[in-house]
Structures are given as C-alpha cells and as structure tokens.
Amino acid sequence: GSSAQPRRTTIATVPSTPMNRPATRPKATPKVMLSNSRSTPTPALPAPPQTVEPAPPVLNVRYSDEETKVPNLLSLDIYPTSEKDQPVIIFVHGGGWTNGDKFPADAKPAAFNARGWVFVSVNYRLLPEVDVIQQVKDVARSIAWAKQNIAQYGGDPARLFLMGHSAGAHLVSLIGVDETYLRGAGLSFGDIRGIVSLDTQTYNMAKLMSNLEPGRGGVYYNAFGDDPKHWRRMSPQTYVEAGKDIPPFAIIYTKSEGLGGRFSKQFYTSLQKADVHSVLIPALEETHWEANENFGLPNDRVSDIVFRWLGELLKEP
C-alpha cells in the first residue's frame, strides 16, 4: 500500500446546505449489547409488515466519470422503494481492499427494503490499481452521488446512513471520523446520520500490526505498507475527539476476528469519551463471514438490534 497522494481530480458536487443538516447530535449514552454463544439469544422480533413495496433494482450506475481499468468499480446498485423520502443505507463491501463486489449483497437489500429503506451497494477501485486513500475517496464520491441523486429513487438525501463489512467497515469508519474525505466530495459529517461498522479489526493499525501473529499480517502490509505514520493516518482511532459532530456508530464484532473484539471495544470507548452516540454489539455466535451473510435474515439477532438502533436514530429530529 502506497502512502503517496493519488492524483487529484475534480467532480462537480453540490455542497450540503445548512437546512439539510440535522440538528446537534444527541449526547452519547453508554449502551453495550452484550451476548455470547453461551447466553440466551435475544428473542427475534417478528418481521415487520411490508408497508413499502420494493421497486426493481437499478444496477451498475456510474457515480464517477474518472478513468479506471474496470468501469464497474466506480458504480453502484440501487434497490429503491415505491415510496418517496425514505431513509437510505449505503453499503460498502469487504474483501481485504483487493477484491469483493457490490453484488449480490445477500439478504440486506430485501431486509432494508421491507423496512422502508432505499438500499445502495457501492463498488470502489481495488488494490493494486489504487491505494486505500483513493478507495476512501471513491466511497465518499459515491455518497455525494447519492446525496444529489437518490431522491429520484425514493430516497431522502437528508437521511443518509453508511454500512460496511470488513475492509468496507474500515472505509466507512474512516469516513465517519476524518472529515477530510467528505469535504473533498462537497459533504460534511452533517450529511451522515449514522454508521454501521460490521466486523473489522483495523480501528488502530499500529496496535494491530504490533499484535499480529507472525505470518498473519499479509493482507494488512499489502494494503497499508510498513510506515507507522501511514498506519496512524489510516486508523479511525486517530481521529476520534469531542466537538467534531462525528455521526453515531454501531460497532459489531464476531468471534473470528481475533483482535477485533479488543480494538472494537477501544474504539467504542473512545467514541463514548468523545460524547459520540454509539453502541457496541458483540456477535460471538457468528463468524466474520456469517455476520455479513446473515445480516437481515429472519431471526438474525445482530441485524434485529441494528434495525432497532437505526429506528431510534430516525426518530430524532
């Protein structure tokens, strides 16, 4: 992974306006949803009545005209609803920063649609074509596209939420604490109503690199190189501080990301100290991949908790 600045490009964006920005964020409330494989699972909520009919998906929409070897990597898929002004979740896939794809997104599009959400799944350019800094910029650009265009697909541009799994969780978490990337796309923290970070151990790269077992860090050295200054730059933990209007976070970790639990707890604690509304959801009954594949399925405990949390955020002015 190169720490060199990628070539700057410009894209026409509409800056967020004060009237689109939500009011001051709620104060943090310490809340940990504890569970493990030995505990009694949280009773699953009944599936909500499908009050909003899904519309046919719109696939492979380009969100940037920048040149790329694989045009599909600068595109997104939209799963609209038949209603107007619905909340929007923008999902970023994982794959070690080197692979993965926006399609299919497992049970998530149908689960969000059934609850009245527009679901957007985005691609981004992959290593080695670009470095991770450019990947974060690609995702920020896709958010700006959604802000400008999602209304025509039933979405409310004032209610944008982010979600990512694995490497995608790292990308959305960085966007949620280092405002540089949103500003570069003409946006601000005020344009993001909440973030769901689904199982990553990359909140603090320096600590991660120094705690990895020998021979286990290949994917991270490939993505982030060996410069501790660059690790710090790419660590969400670096940017958490009070008074920045950081969006609310839901942080999920599973049993199989070995250091994920420790670093997820530290990230959550730092958000709490910074007075950022956040929730920590251990998912010790699931593996890293199950947490993604099961999200939105009937009787999936983790997604039930997340949907309740998102519902609470939607009630806020």
Side-chain angles (χ1 to χ4, degrees):
S2 166
S3 59
Q5 276 289 103
R7 179 174 57 85
R8 275 192 171 275
T9 57
T10 57
I11 182 169
T13 57
V14 178
S16 57
T17 58
M19 64 181 166
N20 284 335
R21 297 185 185 179
T24 306
R25 301 205 189 272
K27 297 294 185 184
T29 49
K31 188 194 304 184
V32 183
M33 310 258 186
L34 289 173
S35 81
N36 57 47
S37 54
R38 295 182 297 278
S39 67
T40 305
T42 305
L45 295 179
Q50 188 150 341
T51 54
V52 179
E53 290 294 321
V58 182
L59 306 179
N60 301 318
V61 179
R62 282 291 295 266
Y63 63 79
S64 168
D65 57 6
E66 192 169 348
E67 289 186 16
T68 174
K69 296 174 184 175
V70 187
N72 188 47
L73 294 182
L74 287 173
S75 73
L76 50 80
D77 295 339
I78 306 160
Y79 299 80
T81 70
S82 58
E83 305 291 321
K84 291 183 177 181
D85 298 325
Q86 301 300 304
V88 180
I89 190 90
I90 300 170
F91 178 73
V92 183
H93 70 79
W97 303 272
T98 63
N99 57 73
D101 195 78
K102 59 183 170 49
F103 184 88
D106 302 302
K108 289 181 283 293
F112 276 96
N113 279 169
R115 290 163 173 84
W117 290 69
V118 174
F119 184 88
V120 179
S121 184
V122 306
N123 269 351
Y124 49 92
R125 286 172 291 180
L126 302 169
L127 295 170
E129 182 183 358
V130 299
D131 63 12
V132 179
I133 293 174
Q134 185 60 53
Q135 292 179 339
V136 189
K137 291 180 178 181
D138 285 354
V139 174
R141 183 169 292 181
S142 77
I143 300 166
W145 185 96
K147 177 81 175 178
Q148 294 170 327
N149 297 282
I150 205 62
Q152 63 187 288
Y153 301 96
D156 180 357
R159 293 192 292 170
L160 301 180
F161 295 74
L162 308 182
M163 178 179 181
H165 172 247
S166 197
H170 168 259
L171 299 176
V172 299
S173 294
L174 202 52
I175 283 173
V177 292
D178 179 2
E179 201 171 20
T180 305
Y181 301 101
L182 288 171
R183 286 176 180 161
L187 303 175
S188 73
F189 283 153
D191 293 303
I192 308 300
R193 292 289 298 270
I195 296 174
V196 179
S197 181
L198 184 55
D199 209 27
T200 182
Q201 51 184 0
T202 52
Y203 297 112
N204 188 326
M205 294 299 304
K207 282 192 175 180
L208 174 64
M209 295 301 215
S210 62
N211 282 277
L212 286 170
E213 296 174 18
R216 292 295 302 276
V219 64
Y220 301 114
Y221 284 103
N222 181 55
F224 300 101
D226 54 11
D227 179 2
K229 288 183 181 178
H230 186 59
W231 296 346
R232 178 172 170 78
R233 180 182 181 184
M234 302 310 293
S235 299
Q237 187 82 48
T238 301
Y239 302 95
V240 177
E241 56 186 67
K244 290 175 61 171
D245 200 31
I246 290 172
F249 266 83
I251 302 160
I252 299 129
Y253 66 91
T254 68
K255 63 184 178 184
S256 56
E257 284 288 83
L259 298 164
R262 185 199 312 180
F263 297 138
S264 294
K265 291 171 188 172
Q266 290 174 359
F267 185 58
Y268 167 77
T269 300
S270 69
L271 290 169
Q272 288 286 313
K273 289 179 179 176
D275 221 14
V276 176
H277 178 77
S278 51
V279 59
L280 180 68
I281 308 170
L284 303 185
E285 72 273 25
E286 292 185 307
T287 66
H288 182 61
W289 302 110
E290 287 169 346
N292 186 46
E293 293 166 1
N294 294 344
F295 194 98
L297 288 176
N299 303 318
D300 178 57
R301 184 189 62 83
V302 171
S303 45
D304 284 342
I305 294 171
V306 171
F307 282 124
R308 283 201 294 268
W309 179 76
L310 291 171
E312 291 170 8
L313 292 181
L314 288 174
K315 293 175 187 173
E316 294 166 2

